[in-house]
Amino acid sequence: MNKAYDRIEWGFIEGMMKKLNFCDTWIAWIMDCISSVSFNIQLSGRKIAQIKPQRDLRQGDPLSPYLFILASEVFSSMLSIHAKHGNFRGINITRGGSMLTHCLFADDTIIFMQAEAQNCRLFMEILREYCKCSGQRVNYDKSSLFFSPNR
């Protein structure tokens, strides 16, 4: 994802916590923590403006990695639900073994899927929907695609 922490929409975080049945008081505390930030712009030691962001998780804030992981869980769930219903086909690590569709680590994601046009279209649809809801954007400059000759 491109500037992953900088793009997370606060409404997405709030909605995600509600969907996961977090207590309303807890959600209010978290939202206060992430939305109470403001930045002052100074020129020659004099404050000339104040900026109040509308989104992002601050890097270095101890809460941010946990919220980002929860947000990533939405993407993970979207892939898992489609795989469970047989719409999205991952890869089998062993014959008859479990299917692997994705692996997440911090703000990096590895997708494993069978190289079929239907799979690719569904994956792009899932990715677009996640980005639209969360505010995330794919960093195509840092993305790669690999194909295996194995079937």
Side-chain angles (χ1 to χ4, degrees):
M1 294 294 164
N2 188 25
K3 305 232 178 236
Y5 277 46
D6 298 341
R7 303 223 37 97
I8 292 280
E9 297 286 342
W10 292 340
F12 177 74
I13 296 287
E14 184 175 18
M16 174 208 51
M17 288 190 292
K18 286 180 181 176
K19 192 78 170 166
L20 293 171
N21 294 320
F22 278 64
C23 167
D24 289 338
T25 304
W26 181 262
I27 293 171
W29 287 342
I30 297 297
M31 295 311 295
D32 281 346
C33 286
I34 64 175
S35 65
S36 62
V37 69
S38 64
F39 301 99
N40 292 320
I41 299 176
Q42 294 185 351
L43 182 64
S44 299
R46 213 170 45 95
K47 178 181 161 183
I48 60 169
Q50 184 178 44
I51 298 172
K52 192 147 178 63
Q54 301 296 309
R55 68 170 178 224
D56 88 354
L57 298 174
R58 293 183 301 276
Q59 291 196 27
D61 183 330
L63 194 55
S64 292
Y66 299 105
L67 294 174
F68 187 80
I69 288 169
L70 285 175
S72 296
E73 181 60 28
V74 172
F75 182 58
S76 177
S77 293
M78 291 170 78
L79 291 169
S80 296
I81 288 168
H82 283 285
K84 180 180 177 183
H85 293 332
N87 304 326
F88 185 73
R89 295 181 40 175
I91 62 167
N92 289 62
I93 298 184
T94 62
R95 286 184 195 165
S98 297
M99 188 176 293
L100 179 63
T101 57
H102 61 284
C103 186
L104 304 173
F105 181 76
D107 60 349
D108 293 321
T109 304
I110 301 173
I111 305 297
F112 302 95
M113 65 181 179
Q114 293 184 11
E116 301 166 345
Q118 177 185 344
N119 242 6
C120 293
R121 279 192 293 274
L122 179 57
F123 172 70
M124 290 306 294
E125 186 180 311
I126 292 168
L127 187 59
R128 271 192 294 275
E129 183 66 23
Y130 172 71
C131 288
K132 183 175 118 182
C133 294
S134 67
Q136 294 287 294
R137 287 190 186 155
V138 176
N139 185 342
Y140 291 105
D141 292 334
K142 291 185 178 179
S143 298
S144 300
L145 184 62
F146 299 96
F147 294 97
S148 169
N150 296 336
R151 284 194 134 301

